[in-house]
Amino acid sequence: MPNLDRRGFLAASAVAVGAGTAGPLTATDAAAAPTPTPAKDGEQAFRGRHLTMMAMGGAVGTGLFVGSAQSIRAAGPAALVSYALAGLLVLLVMRMLGEMVAARPMAGSFADYARLALGDWAGFAVGWLYWYAFVAIVAVEAIAGGQIVHAWLPRVPAWVCSLFLLGGLTAVNLRSSRAFGNAEFWFAVVKIGAILSFLALGTAYLLGGGPAGPPLGNLTAYGGFAPHGFGPVLTATVGVVFAFGGTEIVAVAAAECPDPGRAVARATRQIVWRILVFFLGSVLLVLAIVPWPEITGGESPYVTALTRIGVPFAGTAMSTVILTALLSVLGSTLYASSRMLATLAGHGDAPRWAAAPRRAVLLGTVAGCGAVAAQAVSPGRAFPFLLNSTGAVLIIMYLGIAVSQFVLRIRAECTALERPAYRMWGFPYLTLLVIAAFSAILCSMLFTAQTRPQLLMSLGSLAVVLVACVLTKSRRRSAELRFVNTVR
């Protein structure tokens, strides 16, 4: 049981954050709160291995294989610090999410936790914002994957390739949740295998006397470790945060596991060494093998490093891995967006027909096809719009998860005699630190020319969702009043 001083602090904090919005969450309230259930074909579809590989492979994608070039160009070797800071923040967010899932698994995951913590408006806003962002990612990944296939098959239009990839992953999702889980498992195996192979080749190259001088000499040989100062390091952290996106999908998939709390707890623990080995280890090897000024934004730094090592057909091999990563993200975002839409429908915040996951998958596919068509008609507008209008949504989601965990944990500790078995470290101080960090990142985006359009357009997306929430609630109240008057 927490001591009296700590309980007093928590009780005061509960009042400060407006816990009365949805009322204090007691054990009875938590048990009575509605938990949307997955469709029959999806019940207990996943096993521990599925969630573990989702957690390990969720963030290993194009943000690492391709996007790392921009971070390295901006910060030099000090990009390692950017990856460490972003990785630490995402690790703490996943710990918070794991605590909430272990205490009460819910099909809507963080949207339902926001609803419990802050009220129906928060659940509506988080759910729809997440759905829009992930449907946009479906389109972005389909377009990018189509361009890769088009490079291999130049006679086939890129938009046809995009629709083919989108149709294939839609078919996997429509078949069953287990089919998606198995596909994601093997996609993750390919991505993780590629990273492990790169780690082995890069380490052997350095230890075998590859570059002239000490193995890590490139980290300081070209203007020092932080050639542009540490300001760009913080700016690069903004972009690196997006590279870790995808890890939170395990919380959505947890509703379809036999033991959700235990499965998510184990999956989130995998993030610790994945961040250290996959991200920091591989980026460190890239910087040690290739002088950072030679890394350009037009090519994957991993291709440059493999070419320097002497691996034949490095570009083709990495393009295959990148396409695998794109397909993995395409399938997982279709899955996550469909489950979020089904949850919204279960709460009455979306059309009732969307409560069936297969219908929700089809709606996401239709939206993706529309974006692919827009890209084919107007190549210079559709793709940038999708990227900018969702550019800051992931950070807003992470901020919402942290605030929800803070409020729910406060209520739990003020009303329950036992603390949760799986809980956030250093509560409430680390949670508050994460909230402050993500708030600072959002503010910093406003003062950077490259990220300012992303922040403003993402805030515009949030404003549209909030207005829709107000209109929906107002219409619902009007319908209820008309019904009451009719009965009278």
Side-chain angles (χ1 to χ4, degrees):
M1 178 184 297
N3 59 53
L4 293 178
D5 291 339
R6 191 167 188 269
R7 175 167 289 188
F9 168 78
L10 294 173
S13 299
V15 175
V17 298
T21 302
L25 182 65
T26 64
T28 303
D29 295 331
T35 303
T37 56
K40 292 293 182 182
D41 65 290
E43 289 179 354
Q44 300 188 0
F46 303 128
R47 297 292 180 262
R49 68 182 180 91
H50 293 116
L51 256 66
T52 298
M53 294 304 285
M54 285 182 194
M56 293 175 61
V60 180
T62 53
L64 175 63
F65 294 126
V66 181
S68 54
Q70 296 180 351
S71 302
I72 293 172
R73 291 293 300 174
L80 286 168
V81 178
S82 302
Y83 275 92
L85 289 175
L88 177 61
L89 288 174
V90 174
L91 168 63
L92 294 176
V93 167
M94 289 303 298
R95 185 75 184 189
M96 297 178 209
L97 193 53
E99 174 190 298
M100 293 187 288
V101 174
R104 180 171 176 76
M106 305 185 77
S109 186
F110 36 88
D112 277 343
Y113 299 132
R115 189 181 300 272
L116 284 175
L118 303 173
D120 288 341
W121 71 269
F124 183 102
V126 169
W128 274 112
L129 199 62
Y130 186 81
W131 180 85
Y132 168 68
F134 267 50
V135 167
I137 293 174
V138 165
V140 167
E141 300 299 328
I143 292 170
Q147 291 173 346
I148 293 177
V149 177
H150 173 67
W152 296 341
L153 304 172
R155 293 186 178 182
V156 181
W159 66 269
V160 173
C161 298
S162 297
L163 293 180
F164 176 78
L165 297 177
L166 180 55
L169 270 299
T170 298
V172 171
N173 271 275
L174 289 177
R175 183 177 181 183
S176 67
S177 295
R178 177 66 64 86
F180 157 71
N182 288 333
E184 181 60 24
F185 177 87
W186 291 110
F187 284 148
V189 167
V190 172
K191 292 187 291 183
I192 294 170
I195 287 294
L196 292 177
S197 298
F198 177 79
L199 291 173
L201 289 171
T203 302
Y205 176 75
L206 291 178
L207 296 180
L216 301 180
N218 283 340
L219 298 183
T220 56
Y222 300 91
F225 181 71
H228 305 307
F230 280 93
V233 174
L234 298 178
T235 302
T237 303
V238 177
V240 173
V241 168
F242 298 106
F244 290 93
T247 53
E248 73 286 342
I249 292 177
V250 298
V252 178
E256 300 183 39
C257 285
D259 188 355
R262 183 177 180 182
V264 170
R266 186 173 70 173
T268 52
R269 290 191 187 101
Q270 305 293 331
I271 297 174
V272 179
W273 67 269
R274 184 193 70 195
I275 289 174
L276 293 176
V277 176
F278 291 171
F279 278 81
L280 293 181
S282 63
V283 173
L284 174 62
L285 284 178
V286 167
L287 289 167
I289 295 170
V290 183
W292 73 265
E294 296 182 14
I295 296 175
T296 64
E299 185 178 27
S300 168
Y302 290 83
V303 173
T304 306
L306 289 172
T307 303
R308 180 67 61 91
I309 293 174
V311 176
F313 307 107
T316 301
M318 187 53 62
S319 293
T320 303
V321 173
I322 292 172
L323 179 61
T324 302
L326 289 170
L327 293 176
S328 173
V329 175
L330 179 56
S332 59
T333 48
L334 264 177
Y335 169 83
S337 63
S338 67
R339 271 32 179 198
M340 188 61 71
L341 183 60
T343 297
L344 288 167
H347 286 292
D349 293 334
R352 291 291 181 182
W353 56 263
R358 283 190 174 91
R359 293 177 181 175
V361 168
L362 288 174
L363 182 59
T365 301
V366 170
C369 290
V372 171
Q375 170 70 8
V377 174
S378 181
R381 296 182 179 181
F383 199 81
F385 174 81
L386 291 173
L387 291 177
N388 288 333
S389 62
T390 59
V393 167
L394 185 61
I395 295 179
I396 295 174
M397 292 294 103
Y398 285 158
L399 183 60
I401 290 171
V403 172
S404 298
Q405 186 269 340
F406 181 72
V407 174
L408 294 178
R409 177 71 175 272
I410 283 174
R411 295 181 194 168
E413 295 207 4
C414 288
T415 57
L417 296 179
E418 296 182 1
R419 300 174 69 188
Y422 186 82
R423 55 185 180 270
M424 172 63 180
W425 304 298
F427 183 84
Y429 309 108
L430 277 182
T431 298
L432 291 172
L433 180 62
V434 170
I435 292 173
F438 280 119
S439 299
I441 288 176
L442 288 175
C443 291
S444 69
M445 293 180 70
L446 185 62
F447 298 99
T448 305
Q450 183 178 1
T451 58
R452 188 181 301 117
Q454 298 178 9
L455 175 63
L456 295 178
M457 292 188 68
S458 296
L459 291 178
S461 301
L462 177 60
V464 170
V465 169
L466 291 176
V467 170
C469 177
V470 172
L471 294 177
T472 300
K473 300 302 181 184
S474 177
R475 186 181 62 181
R476 187 177 301 170
R477 283 194 297 267
S478 298
E480 291 173 354
L481 288 174
R482 286 196 301 269
F483 176 77
V484 171
N485 293 330
T486 301
V487 171
R488 287 178 179 176

